[in-house]
C-alpha cells in the first residue's frame, strides 16, 4: 500500500485525483505501479487501476493476471471492478471506501452479480486514513482555489 500511496501523491501533484494502484505477482514482485492520469491523457478511463492492470498484463505477455494482487488507494469504481474481473485478478486490496462512486462495496457491487465471471478476494480499508487524507487534502485545495478565484 505504501507504493500505491506514493503513486497517488504523485498523481495529486500533477493535478490528478490522487489515486494510486500497484499490481504484484504471487511472490510480491511489483509488475506495475501507476497513478490516475485522466487529465494528462484526456482519457476518462485512465484510472490508476486500469493503467496498472494493462501495464502488468503487457509485462507478463498475456491478457490475464492469475495469482496477482491489485492494491489501490480508493475503492474501485464499477469500470475498474469489471476490468479486474476480466483480468482475473486474484486479490484486490483497497484503502478508502467510496460510497459515492465505488463499485465493489458500494453502488453496483460488481463482484456480487451472477454475471460476474471472476470474483477476486477483496480486502478493504487498508491504510484507509492515509488514503482518505490524500483525497481530502486534494479536494480541499481545489475548493479553496475555486473560492479564491471567485472573489
Amino acid at each position: 500500500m505504501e507504493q500505491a500511496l506514493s503513486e497517488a501523491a504523485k498523481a495529486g501533484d500533477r493535478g490528478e485525483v490522487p489515486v494510486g494502484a500497484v499490481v504484484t505477482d504471487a511472490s510480491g514482485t511489483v509488475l506495475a505501479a501507476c497513478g490516475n492520469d485522466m487529465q494528462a491523457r484526456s482519457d476518462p478511463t485512465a484510472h490508476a487501476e486500469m493503467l496498472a492492470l494493462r501495464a502488468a498484463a503487457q509485462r507478463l505477455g498475456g491478457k490475464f493476471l492469475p495469482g496477482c494482487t491489485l492494491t489501490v488507494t480508493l475503492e474501485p469504481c464499477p469500470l475498474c471492478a469489471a476490468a479486474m474481473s476480466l483480468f482475473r485478478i486474484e486479490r484486490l486490496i483497497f484503502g478508502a471506501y467510496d460510497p459515492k462512486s465505488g463499485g465493489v462495496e458500494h453502488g453496483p457491487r460488481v463482484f456480487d452479480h451472477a454475471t460476474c465471471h471472476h470474483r477476486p478476494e477483496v480486502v478493504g480499508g487498508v491504510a484507509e486514513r492515509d488514503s482518505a487524507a490524500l483525497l481530502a487534502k486534494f479536494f480541499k485545495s481545489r475548493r479553496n482555489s475555486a473560492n479564491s478565484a471567485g472573489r
Side-chain angles (χ1 to χ4, degrees):
M1 182 59 83
E2 283 184 35
Q3 190 166 2
L5 285 164
S6 174
E7 292 296 328
K10 288 189 267 185
D13 290 344
R14 294 190 310 269
E16 302 279 351
V17 175
V19 176
V22 177
V23 176
T24 53
D25 67 13
S27 70
T29 300
V30 173
L31 300 174
C34 302
N36 272 353
D37 207 24
M38 295 177 291
Q39 301 302 320
R41 295 176 188 231
S42 296
D43 179 356
T45 68
H47 295 192
E49 301 96 308
M50 297 294 288
L51 298 173
L53 290 166
R54 290 173 184 150
Q58 184 174 24
R59 181 169 174 186
L60 292 179
K63 62 181 180 179
F64 300 127
L65 297 169
C68 291
T69 297
L70 174 68
T71 302
V72 61
T73 58
L74 181 65
E75 176 184 350
C77 72
L79 168 77
C80 294
M84 282 176 247
S85 179
L86 293 172
F87 277 100
R88 298 190 181 146
I89 282 285
E90 183 172 319
R91 181 177 306 103
L92 163 65
I93 299 170
F94 70 85
Y97 290 86
D98 189 352
K100 183 178 177 185
S101 300
V104 177
E105 299 289 333
H106 296 89
R109 299 176 188 254
V110 171
F111 303 137
D112 291 345
H113 290 266
T115 56
C116 182
H117 298 293
H118 175 78
R119 294 166 183 81
E121 173 190 346
V122 176
V123 179
V126 176
E128 181 178 6
R129 287 184 181 163
D130 294 335
S131 298
L134 271 175
L135 290 160
K137 179 181 174 187
F138 176 80
F139 286 113
K140 182 179 180 181
S141 73
R142 291 283 202 212
R143 283 190 300 277
N144 291 341
S145 293
N147 288 340
S148 296
R151 291 184 183 180

